[in-house]
Amino acid sequence: MVSAVFGIGIVLGTSTLAALLCTPLARALAVRVGAVARPTSDRWHKEPTALLGGVAILLATGAGLAAATFIVGDGWAVGWRIARASPALGVVLSTALMFVVGLVDDLVRLRAQSKFLFQLLAGAILLSLGAIFP
């Protein structure tokens, strides 16, 4: 068993490394399939911007959960035999929700108020299942 601070460092480091590796791949995929936001008057960017960044975030979160499961342990992550109310389940559910919201937004463009409500819901799911720093 590892200390809480060291365990958090392992999970965050794994997720960060995975995000750094997956982001260029997700960007290349977005450009390849034409999932690119063009500049308009209501957008802040001045150049075409690749969408589908949620794919990289989803993969990075999965890598962090894998690190939590196999390296950190200590009951934090979801066990393979029993999925129960745990912080890892909160991470999985809130990440899945935000991935779907982001994908829908990339495809049909949701209003900012709708995205904010889904973010609040994802945060409530995360906290209600105990995902807090020790």
Side-chain angles (χ1 to χ4, degrees):
M1 186 179 318
V2 296
S3 75
V5 173
F6 186 67
I8 290 170
I10 289 172
V11 173
L12 289 177
T14 302
S15 295
T16 301
L17 182 61
L20 289 171
L21 294 173
C22 293
T23 299
L25 298 173
R27 185 180 188 284
L29 174 66
V31 170
R32 175 177 254 189
V33 300
V36 178
R38 308 278 177 219
T40 60
S41 61
D42 64 335
R43 295 263 183 161
W44 60 270
H45 53 82
K46 304 293 182 217
E47 297 177 9
T49 302
L51 301 174
L52 303 180
V55 173
I57 294 170
L58 183 71
L59 293 173
T61 302
L65 283 172
T69 300
F70 295 114
I71 298 170
V72 178
D74 195 29
W76 190 89
V78 174
W80 293 115
R81 294 189 181 127
I82 300 172
R84 56 185 164 80
S86 69
L89 183 60
V91 171
V92 169
L93 293 176
S94 61
T95 300
L97 174 62
M98 290 314 304
F99 175 74
V100 170
V101 170
L103 192 59
V104 169
D105 184 45
D106 287 348
L107 298 174
V108 297
R109 193 132 181 236
L110 295 174
R111 295 177 50 202
Q113 296 90 339
S114 300
K115 290 186 283 189
F116 181 67
L117 288 175
F118 282 116
Q119 289 170 351
L120 286 175
L121 178 60
I125 291 169
L126 190 63
L127 292 176
S128 69
L129 291 172
I132 58 172
F133 285 116

